[in-house]
Amino acid sequence: MQVLKVSARSRSTAVAGAIAGAVREHGRAEVQAIGAGAVNQAAKAVAIARDYLALDGLDVICIPAFVSVNVQDQERTALKLTIEPR
């Protein structure tokens, strides 16, 4: 399973579809976002994905955590959202 990386310019509905697909296929999804705009889009995507998955009878939760990532040889702090069934 790959980590879905979200930017401030990501379409929240497209990310939501990717989250829903990952949960259906792998049983969970991981999303990473760096910066306020990206975190906003990621949070909206999780809310939309919950609606998509509810149609399949799945109730999912979101577990937030901070992670360190390397971006262009610099260490940055990202927000990681793990989405999995309740």
Side-chain angles (χ1 to χ4, degrees), residues 6-85:
V6 178
S7 77
R9 291 185 300 265
S10 296
R11 286 186 18 243
S12 54
T13 53
V15 176
I19 291 169
V23 170
R24 288 181 189 118
E25 186 173 335
H26 302 288
R28 62 185 297 195
E30 287 189 9
V31 176
Q32 273 186 6
I34 299 173
V39 169
N40 180 51
Q41 292 303 97
K44 288 193 291 188
V46 170
I48 294 167
R50 287 195 76 221
D51 289 340
Y52 291 169
L53 292 165
L55 296 174
D56 296 337
L58 292 171
D59 184 22
V60 294
I61 59 170
C62 176
I63 303 164
F66 289 112
V67 293
S68 294
V69 295
N70 272 333
V71 177
Q72 297 176 346
D73 294 329
Q74 284 188 318
E75 191 164 311
R76 304 278 307 267
T77 300
L79 184 68
K80 178 178 83 167
L81 303 174
T82 302
I83 299 94
E84 56 188 38

